[in-house]
Amino acid sequence: MASIAESSHLTALQTKHAGIEARLRDEQARPVPDTAMIQSLKKQKLKLKEEIAGA
C-alpha cells in the first residue's frame, strides 16, 4: 500500500516539475522576460528535483 502512495506522490511531483518547466520556458520566450520570475521558477524546480531524487 505504501508503494502506491509513494508512486502517486512521485508522479505528482514529476507533474508539478513539468508544469514549472513549461512556465519557465514560456517566461524565457517572452520579449522581455521577468528575471525575478525566472529565478523563482528555477528555485521551485530545483526544490522539486531534490524532493523527487529523495523519494
Side-chain angles (χ1 to χ4, degrees):
M1 189 78 165
S3 65
I4 293 172
E6 289 172 6
S7 176
S8 177
H9 181 66
L10 183 59
T11 301
L13 290 175
Q14 290 170 334
T15 301
K16 203 169 181 180
H17 186 272
I20 291 174
E21 176 65 29
R23 288 174 57 199
L24 187 56
R25 276 196 311 268
D26 289 347
E27 187 61 39
Q28 290 174 329
R30 290 178 43 182
V32 182
D34 181 347
T35 54
M37 175 65 79
I38 290 173
Q39 185 177 16
S40 173
L41 289 170
K42 285 183 177 184
K43 284 181 182 180
Q44 291 174 42
K45 190 175 148 190
L46 179 59
K47 284 181 185 178
L48 281 172
K49 184 177 178 182
E50 289 171 352
E51 194 170 342
I52 290 169

